[in-house]
């Protein structure tokens, strides 16, 4: 491969900037496009009924002829989760990532029965990979899942560094931690041309807690607990899982795991040598050993209060083999994602009601973030000394604050580029420019439908969900215009029928009036019925349901 | 009044225990019932379309013949907000509270056109009020709205203290602060029989920030701000509003207020002498003065990201006179309520996009809670030295922790009673008992409907909102059973019609098959159609909408 020093490179983020989630970037050089990460986002309250949110479908299918491959930094859902929906558009592509990342991808694509549509190509720390005129180097970084990479990319416009999701742990419990020296060496004496760096925790001062400190807190909890220890954690946090295994073995407790994703990830990690479960280790699915409480650790899914998770079922009922005992110590060893605070609080309160003690991050040091705090971010900036800086992986306020940090670390203010989703950044050998934004609204996935649920459908769902629906059915004689049957009125999610039957009777009279005043024009009838009933319901109930009038002429 | 020392007293919380909101207790002595507070709760995500949540309607209307009056501790919505819906059940009652509290109540009841259904009776710190065999004393406490009371109640079973919502501010910027000495004196040498105390912030260590400290932070922000200062706060926090007025006058800035509740509360407070606005003070509703940015402070509603608030409209568009300027300093001088974090974050990010700087509680000391932290709660416990302790105003985990604190303060473990909503506590002169719980599920208010939206309707709304609705209409000949018209299929919130018209065509064929297999039985037909379409949609789309089949026979 020859790298032409007179080319240009365009980086277009399809997601992840201005939001946490949907990390996905297109890197377009002279000979094609590389996709860096392919993540999803979980829907928020406004996305009624939506399962997942993925990058803009059109922007992805538009590059299929130019795609040189997909490079994955690590295996979290916000970096690999959209593959099942985008791979069908990108059939035949190669996907590059660490063994652990690809094991998770393999599992996903097999479930969707599209595994043979792509080629999975494992890379290691130190691998050098040429994709068109881009030469990728993979640097180990410490995060909260095994085998994460930062990227060093030799390009026609200079050396570019993508931090990946990272933190700096100088004394990691396993693995190499983040190898800042590799970043420093790659950037060279004059510094990198461009750094893209993780902004998630820029607003947290100092340095993130280390796993060593978390393990110490957990050890203290193990020492103090009189009954069972119930621990929830992110099911991909294999290092944390290993800590629990180790503590259990040391303290003579047996571990029982419950939850499909947790059991699955432990299997995957064990097969690749990333976790070593104790010899006597049980899956609640097949049975729970009859040991006394003080001899048990239950490791379960449900740290975010997900209603079908093992923890929710244990607490609210519905778990076939496990429940909360009085005297249990429950450790929520993960961050509460803001949208989930209510659901998690509900569980915590219920566990207190059942007589358990609950320990969580905001009160005890039982979780460490996988993302660098501001001082670690400064270390990265100082190691790489970039000419240009693009903060990534954050809400807009995080990007702004990260930009300010870069300025304090010596990056020229004009060289700090706050990209947003869909905003292409084009680098030339000694300049850069921002071209017009491309459309990149996310695509919504609901069941098997990809992209068919849009704003119109969501708006209808919002009204249906908030106000309910009233259906009016009427059969008319096509010739005479007389009413043969009805009006029948059926409501769903509107009022409790028995209590308001008088109201629905009044509504029928209004329907008949509305028909009369339409003088036989059927379109007019429907409009009249809808507007007449809507203003009636607004007046008597202050509610505005979806009203559908169906008039059949026979 | 004679207080018989051999009677009993039953306190039944209708809300506020196990949740933050709906504070409402019934105190039943020998001669009748006193209602202490009458609050509402704002709905959460599960309460689709619900406007407010109020105490159990039946539990309230059941006491109307025994009601001696309603005593209000202060004017926050979670203490007075349910009055408009419950007063019609309790016509003729007297409502006791401070002048400021009653001014807010008056405004509410006038809006609902029921002001003359009750008698508003102002009380002061020091007032002694006999209601049946209960003698109420009102003690001033410091909170986050003017004129708050704690209650000291002489009863036939001893002296009972209700802290009200309180914090302890030893050097308040105005008023008397919390007069712990009055509580101490009332409890007397042997301590109170029972203390009910605010648990909201029991999990926060130390002492709450004082208003003096908040004002200092705000002063620093005023000194540093180059452009306009935009400040949002709880619109009933009159003390904070006064601080902003004072700082504006000192720094030569003019205050413009925007937002109906803020302007209304300032009017109310001004009329009663609780706030002194500057001489040149504007309401954006009538016009914004054409002053340079550095001469303005905008005080606006919208601290919780409410979509129709002044701040949201300024940021997202829709405010007729105000918008965010580059260089504005926006101060969110209030707590982000957990359920609102997403909405507030969206606003904050958008303000950064518009070039403003945003300061909020978690990063700067721009807000102080109105609720005592653990050391202040200890002060109250030690002042009152209760024999019995009931933690109130908190989620269950807060009640548990507050109970533990009471134990550390010397209350016997058996005398710490974790009441839940609907659990009556009966005090006899030298014992207490817990009778069977009474039903107190909250009543939901949706528009003008009080209580008609229950679990069945909410469940329908949840499905409608998440999956949408499909309506099948069919007209049959009553005699021959042949199809005269249809099937017509109409969907709302289900799929984007144009893209899936083939699917709805297939569905029509299934409907015809379903009819055939019902052999003319109409109830069977509807069932067949529903189950056939539901399994069809599940299979092809993995969606499960509400399916309604309407068959008209003519």
């Amino acid at each position: 491969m020859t790298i032409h020093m007179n080319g240009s490179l365009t980086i277009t983020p399809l997601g992840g900037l201005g939001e946490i989630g949907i990390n996905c970037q297109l890197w377009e050089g002279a000979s094609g496009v590389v996709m860096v990460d392919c993540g999803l986002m979980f829907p928020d309250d406004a996305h009624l009924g939506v399962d997942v949110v993925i990058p803009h479908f059109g922007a992805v299918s538009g590059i299929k002829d130019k795609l040189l491959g997909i490079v994955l930094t690590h295996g979290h859902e916000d970096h690999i989760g959209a593959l099942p929906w985008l791979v069908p558009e990108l059939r035949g592509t190669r996907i590059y990532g660490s063994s652990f990342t690809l094991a998770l991808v393999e599992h996903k694509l097999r479930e969707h029965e599209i595994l043979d549509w792509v080629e999975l190509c494992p890379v290691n720390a130190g691998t050098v990979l040429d994709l068109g005129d881009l030469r990728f180097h993979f640097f180990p970084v410490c995060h909260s899942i095994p085998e994460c990479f930062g990227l060093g990319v030799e390009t026609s416009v200079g050396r570019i560094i993508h931090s990946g999701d990272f933190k700096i742990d100088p004394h990691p419990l396993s693995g190499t931690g983040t190898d800042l020296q590799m970043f420093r060496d790659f950037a060279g004496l004059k510094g990198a041309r461009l750094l893209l760096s993780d902004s998630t925790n820029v607003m947290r001062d100092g340095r993130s807690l280390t796993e060593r400190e978390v393990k110490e807190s957990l050890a203290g909890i193990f020492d103090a607990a009189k009954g069972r220890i119930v621990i929830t954690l992110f099911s991909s946090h294999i290092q944390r899982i290993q800590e629990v295994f180790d503590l259990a073995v040391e303290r003579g407790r047996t571990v029982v795991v419950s939850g499909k994703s947790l059991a699955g990830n432990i299997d995957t990690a064990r097969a690749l040598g990333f976790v070593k479960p104790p010899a006597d280790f049980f899956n609640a699915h097949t049975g729970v050993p009859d040991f006394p409480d003080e001899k048990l650790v239950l490791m379960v899914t449900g740290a975010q209060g997900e209603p079908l998770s093992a923890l929710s079922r244990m607490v609210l009922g519905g778990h076939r083999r496990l429940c909360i005992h009085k005297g249990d110590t429950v450790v929520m060893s993960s961050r509460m994602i803001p949208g989930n605070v209510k659901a998690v609080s509900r569980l915590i309160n219920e566990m207190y009601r059942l007589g358990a003690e609950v320990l969580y991050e905001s009160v005890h040091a039982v979780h460490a973030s996988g993302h660098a705090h501001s001082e670690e971010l400064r270390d990265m900036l100082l190691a790489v000394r970039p000419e240009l800086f693009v903060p990534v992986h954050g809400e807009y306020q995080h990007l702004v604050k990260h930009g300010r940090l870069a300025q304090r670390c010596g990056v020229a203010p004009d060289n700090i580029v706050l990209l947003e989703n869909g905003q292409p950044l084009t680098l030339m050998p000694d300049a850069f420019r921002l071209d017009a934004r491309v459309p990149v609204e996310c695509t919504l996935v609901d069941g098997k439908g990809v992209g068919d649920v849009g704003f119109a459908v969501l708006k209808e769902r919002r009204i249906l969900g908030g106000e309910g629906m009233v259906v009016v059915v009427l059969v008319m004689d096509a010739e005479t215009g007389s009413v043969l049957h009805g009006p029948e009125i059926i409501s769903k999610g509107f009022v409790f029928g028995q209590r308001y039957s008088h109201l629905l009777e009044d509504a029928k009279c209004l329907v008949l009036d509305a028909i009369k005043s339409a003088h036989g024009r059927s379109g007019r009838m429907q409009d009249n019925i809808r507007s007449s009933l809507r203003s009636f319901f607004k007046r008597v109930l202050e509610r505005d349901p979806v009203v559908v009038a169906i008039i059949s002429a026979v």
Side-chain angles (χ1 to χ4, degrees), chain A:
Chain A
M1 184 195 78
T2 321
I3 292 175
H4 299 283
M5 282 307 293
N6 53 1
S8 73
L9 172 72
T10 300
I11 298 178
T12 309
L14 298 187
L17 277 76
E19 71 215 345
I20 308 273
I22 318 195
N23 295 288
C24 184
Q25 297 171 4
L26 303 180
W27 291 41
E28 178 155 18
S31 43
V33 180
V34 176
M35 180 183 286
V36 175
D37 286 332
C38 187
L40 60 68
M41 187 165 69
F42 293 103
D44 67 22
D45 302 347
H47 295 128
L48 293 166
V50 169
D51 300 319
V52 299
V53 184
I54 60 173
H56 187 263
F57 210 73
V60 171
S61 52
I63 55 140
K64 65 177 138 190
D65 299 328
K66 298 189 279 188
L67 188 66
L68 302 167
I70 301 175
V71 172
L72 302 174
T73 59
H74 64 284
H76 277 147
E77 289 291 345
D78 60 335
H79 293 257
I80 69 167
L83 285 170
W85 293 278
L86 295 183
V87 155
E89 290 298 297
L90 304 172
R91 225 168 145 153
T93 192
R94 288 186 171 147
I95 301 179
Y96 302 90
S98 64
S99 309
F100 188 75
T101 303
L102 293 185
L104 298 178
V105 170
E106 184 179 335
H107 181 75
K108 253 178 214 306
L109 299 185
R110 184 175 288 125
E111 268 196 339
H112 283 78
E113 298 175 4
I114 52 174
L115 179 57
D116 51 353
W117 293 13
V118 293
E119 192 182 337
L120 301 184
C121 311
V123 293
N124 300 311
T127 296
V128 175
L129 169 69
D130 286 336
L131 293 172
D133 60 348
L134 303 174
R135 172 169 287 171
F136 284 83
H137 301 252
F138 296 86
F139 304 141
V141 293
C142 177
H143 184 41
S144 48
I145 186 172
E147 283 203 307
C148 302
F149 293 135
L151 305 174
V153 191
E154 292 178 67
T155 77
S156 59
V157 296
R159 296 188 155 217
I160 297 179
I161 290 174
H162 183 316
S163 72
D165 290 13
F166 81 105
K167 66 185 289 187
I168 294 174
D169 186 339
H171 307 292
L173 279 168
S174 74
T176 56
T178 296
D179 192 342
L180 267 188
Q181 192 57 43
M182 284 182 93
F183 286 96
R184 197 176 284 117
D185 291 345
F186 182 79
L189 278 180
K190 70 184 184 90
R193 178 77 202 283
L194 166 67
L195 169 66
L196 305 115
S197 182
D198 176 0
S199 310
T200 315
N201 276 343
V202 67
M203 290 170 72
R204 299 203 193 174
D205 292 334
R207 297 181 174 276
S208 59
L209 216 63
T210 64
E211 280 305 309
R212 216 165 274 276
E213 290 166 303
V214 172
K215 193 177 174 191
E216 274 168 30
S217 297
L218 294 178
I221 292 165
F222 269 73
D223 289 340
K226 301 262 182 295
R228 303 184 309 179
I229 293 169
V230 180
I231 186 161
T232 69
L233 30 65
F234 289 117
S235 63
S236 59
H237 203 320
I238 303 300
Q239 172 59 44
R240 188 78 48 81
I241 292 170
Q242 184 66 56
E243 291 159 36
V244 175
F245 283 152
D246 292 347
L247 288 167
V249 170
E250 287 168 24
R251 266 66 173 184
R253 287 181 183 253
T254 296
V255 179
V256 177
V257 166
S258 180
K260 201 177 144 203
S261 62
L262 192 57
N265 281 345
I266 291 173
D267 281 349
T268 303
R270 171 152 61 175
L272 292 168
F274 288 103
V275 76
K276 291 187 185 55
D280 59 337
F281 150 72
F282 292 84
N283 187 328
H285 192 62
T286 51
V288 176
D290 186 23
F291 293 163
D293 282 1
E294 69 274 16
K295 291 287 172 202
L296 281 175
V297 176
L298 309 182
M299 196 194 292
V300 302
T301 54
Q304 301 303 325
E306 306 91 329
L308 300 179
S309 66
L311 185 67
S312 288
R313 288 181 291 125
M314 282 171 69
V315 173
L316 306 172
H319 198 297
R320 284 198 303 156
R321 302 188 202 265
L322 296 174
C323 59
I324 295 291
H325 292 182
K326 191 164 165 23
D328 282 354
T329 302
V330 181
V331 183
M332 313 285 283
S333 181
S334 61
R335 193 175 86 95
M336 263 191 232
I337 294 172
N340 303 333
V341 168
K342 283 224 158 184
V344 177
S345 298
R346 206 170 296 139
L347 280 191
I348 291 175
N349 285 315
E350 199 52 39
M351 289 192 279
Y352 272 105
R353 245 183 224 112
L354 295 168
E357 179 64 37
V358 187
L359 309 177
Y360 47 92
E361 185 195 7
S362 57
V363 186
H364 302 81
V366 293
H367 176 59
S369 171
H371 297 275
H373 287 203
S374 65
E375 286 191 21
E376 296 158 82
L377 294 173
R378 203 189 50 195
D379 288 348
M380 178 61 83
L381 277 156
L382 295 178
V384 166
R385 289 155 299 113
E387 179 192 335
L388 297 172
F389 179 66
V390 172
V392 296
H393 206 290
E395 298 174 16
Y396 198 82
Q397 57 177 324
H398 304 138
L399 307 183
V400 170
K401 301 272 164 85
H402 203 179
R404 290 183 193 164
L405 177 66
Q407 197 178 333
R408 291 197 297 278
C409 292
V411 182
D414 288 348
N415 286 346
I416 294 164
V417 186
L418 296 191
L419 285 191
E420 295 203 65
N421 294 338
Q423 173 63 64
L425 166 67
T426 299
L427 300 178
M428 285 83 71
D430 35 39
F432 72 89
R433 68 165 192 271
L434 296 171
D435 292 323
R437 280 177 80 166
V438 298
V440 289
E441 312 79 55
C442 317
T443 293
L444 307 180
V445 178
D446 177 6
K448 288 189 182 166
V450 178
D452 66 309
V453 169
F455 289 106
V457 172
L458 286 182
K459 193 181 161 192
E460 285 179 351
R461 287 186 181 174
R462 193 156 50 241
I463 303 175
L464 286 170
E467 309 273 339
M469 179 156 180
V470 174
V471 182
V472 179
V473 175
L474 195 74
V475 183
M476 300 187 73
D477 187 310
E479 284 175 25
T480 67
S482 64
V483 175
L484 295 177
H485 179 91
E488 252 188 281
I489 298 189
I490 285 143
S491 78
K492 289 281 170 188
F494 175 52
V495 291
F496 185 57
Q498 287 167 308
R499 188 152 154 195
Y500 281 103
S501 50
H502 63 286
L503 204 139
L504 297 178
E505 286 307 312
D506 291 351
K508 285 183 189 173
C509 299
L510 289 174
V511 170
L512 293 173
D513 290 348
I515 290 168
K516 249 182 238 154
S517 64
H519 304 292
R521 281 164 299 173
S522 135
R524 182 73 174 273
M525 278 180 206
Q526 290 181 322
D527 290 346
N528 282 3
I529 292 172
R530 285 185 47 225
S531 65
S532 162
L533 289 191
R534 284 185 61 188
S535 60
F536 173 64
F537 293 135
K538 270 190 207 165
R539 184 161 44 80
V540 299
L541 281 174
E542 284 180 7
R543 291 184 203 167
D544 192 10
V546 176
V547 176
V548 176
I550 303 169
I551 301 170
S552 318
V554 297

